[in-house]
Amino acid sequence: MAVITTGVHGNGLEYIEVHSKLCDARIFLQGAQLERFIPRGQAPLLWVSTADDYLPGNGIRGGIPVCWPWFGQHDTHGWPQHGFARNRRWQHIGSEVQDEVVTLKFLLPITDEDRIYWPHDTRLELHCRLSQTLRVSLINVNLDHHPVTLTQALHSYFPIGDIHQLIASGFSSAHYIEFAKGPYAQTTDDVHFDRETDRVYNALAGQQRLHTPNGTIVVRREHSSSAVLWNPWIEKSRRLSRFNDDDYLRMVCLEAANVREDAITLAPGARHELVTEISWLAPGEQPR
Ligand code: TA6
């Protein structure tokens, strides 16, 4: 029988835990941030830095931070990188259990303080469907009488064991921007890592695979015209907050997104759902 409990981390962050026949998971109310997802009988599918302090206000370095209503640096100096949604306390608005599959629903209450950044009437929900597969949906509804334009990402951190052995596949025929240069054509299906990598892909297929020494992680995206592939490598790892100098060896981010020219414009009353779906490659499934 699936069990859903609540708890408070030692540093004050509230979370919801799920233990079922299919998986174990933990979601923090701050940012509605998935921080743990372990399919039953398998290894964890999300990575979190041991350097994180789980203090309110930052967002946790790992799991799936929500970047919204903008991705990256805002043009306005001093505004928070990746928007404000990941630093806010979301409301847990629902739990459903069906045949051991647990779906948790969260809502971002947009406060008067937030209207400095986002003076629009927008409903933002995050739904986590927890089976042997993790499915996360970021649902935007424009409740205002004017169109709104936003960028967004589900900034997923993956445990890849050893970056030197990682092969990321499924990138053929795409193109990407990196360090504000490009676009560059992706001439191979595989991506290997030997330097800082911070790419925004376009025209990318809906599924990529991360071939790690511990198995293959399958990452699918829906309604995501962009995807971000990131490893900070050596130098940036030293500058990142809440990140060990050698953490770059063990993680990669592959993010379902709509960023840059793929910004989403919602007409009044319109709805958009960004989805990422994550699992280990099933036994017998073709690795490529
Ligand atoms: O998604 C890649 C990225 O934009 C990198 O440039 C790096 O800044 C990363 O996000 C982490 O950002 P954060 O604000 O969480 O430290």
Side-chain angles (χ1 to χ4, degrees), residues 129-150:
R129 185 179 184 277
L130 307 163
S131 60
Q132 283 261 316
T133 296
L134 170 61
R135 181 179 174 90
V136 180
S137 305
L138 186 65
I139 302 160
N140 306 249
V141 181
N142 180 4
L143 302 177
D144 232 319
H145 302 296
H146 55 264
V148 291
T149 298
L150 57 93

Side-chain angles (χ1 to χ4, degrees), residues 58 60-61 65 67 71-73 81-82 86 153 155 157 196-199 228-232 236 240-242 253 255:
N58 287 324
I60 296 164
R61 177 68 71 192
C67 304
F71 178 83
Q73 291 286 351
Q81 164 136 305
H82 292 331
R86 65 176 173 171
H155 196 297
Y157 286 76
E196 181 180 357
T197 303
D198 196 348
R199 301 178 178 180
V228 178
L229 182 67
W230 177 57
N231 182 280
K236 183 154 188 180
L240 278 172
S241 61
R242 297 167 288 114
C253 286
E255 307 160 39

Side-chain angles (χ1 to χ4, degrees), residues 239-257:
R239 300 196 308 270
L240 278 172
S241 61
R242 297 167 288 114
F243 198 83
N244 298 304
D245 288 355
D246 62 353
D247 273 344
Y248 75 96
L249 293 169
R250 291 178 284 274
M251 55 65 69
V252 78
C253 286
L254 177 53
E255 307 160 39

Side-chain angles (χ1 to χ4, degrees), residues 51 69 95 133 198 258 272 277:
S95 304
T133 296
D198 196 348
N258 289 295
H272 180 278
E277 199 168 77

Side-chain angles (χ1 to χ4, degrees), residues 73-226:
Q73 291 286 351
H74 195 280
D75 295 342
T76 307
H77 178 70
W79 282 21
Q81 164 136 305
H82 292 331
F84 59 84
R86 65 176 173 171
N87 303 330
R88 297 291 186 271
R89 184 186 185 280
W90 293 48
Q91 293 169 357
H92 174 220
I93 57 172
S95 304
E96 295 163 14
V97 182
Q98 184 164 5
D99 302 329
E100 284 294 298
V101 177
V102 176
T103 300
L104 300 178
K105 299 182 178 180
F106 301 86
L107 169 74
L108 175 66
I110 298 183
T111 65
D112 291 344
E113 177 203 358
D114 296 333
R115 290 192 181 281
I116 299 165
Y117 302 123
W118 191 250
H120 312 295
D121 195 359
T122 310
R123 183 175 180 87
L124 186 69
E125 290 189 24
L126 187 119
H127 297 181
C128 308
R129 185 179 184 277
L130 307 163
S131 60
Q132 283 261 316
T133 296
L134 170 61
R135 181 179 174 90
V136 180
S137 305
L138 186 65
I139 302 160
N140 306 249
V141 181
N142 180 4
L143 302 177
D144 232 319
H145 302 296
H146 55 264
V148 291
T149 298
L150 57 93
T151 54
Q152 56 184 190
L154 292 169
H155 196 297
S156 307
Y157 286 76
F158 294 102
I160 50 87
D162 176 2
I163 194 69
H164 299 295
Q165 298 185 58
L166 173 64
I167 299 172
S169 68
F171 290 85
S172 57
S173 69
H175 52 268
Y176 63 90
I177 301 282
E178 187 165 42
F179 308 128
K181 295 193 178 73
Y184 306 102
Q186 176 68 41
T187 55
T188 60
D189 192 65
D190 290 354
V191 175
H192 301 261
F193 299 81
D194 60 6
R195 70 197 71 179
E196 181 180 357
T197 303
D198 196 348
R199 301 178 178 180
V200 177
Y201 276 93
N202 286 112
L204 191 64
Q207 180 184 127
Q208 282 66 48
R209 294 181 174 191
L210 303 173
H211 305 272
T212 86
N214 306 317
T216 294
I217 299 173
V218 182
V219 184
R220 293 183 55 254
R221 307 177 348 271
E222 296 172 20
H223 314 301
S224 160
S225 302
S226 330

Side-chain angles (χ1 to χ4, degrees), residues 2-7 14-28 32-40 42-46 48 63-64 100-104 106 128-136:
V3 175
I4 303 171
T5 57
T6 59
E14 302 159 275
Y15 57 79
I16 293 176
E17 279 192 352
V18 170
H19 302 284
S20 76
K21 288 178 185 166
L22 303 174
C23 69
D24 292 326
R26 185 159 75 169
I27 302 95
F28 280 78
Q33 185 168 354
L34 259 154
E35 176 256 0
R36 179 186 299 161
F37 179 71
I38 309 172
R40 187 62 56 215
Q42 295 180 309
L45 266 173
L46 298 176
V48 180
I64 307 182
E100 284 294 298
V101 177
V102 176
T103 300
L104 300 178
F106 301 86
C128 308
R129 185 179 184 277
L130 307 163
S131 60
Q132 283 261 316
T133 296
L134 170 61
R135 181 179 174 90
V136 180

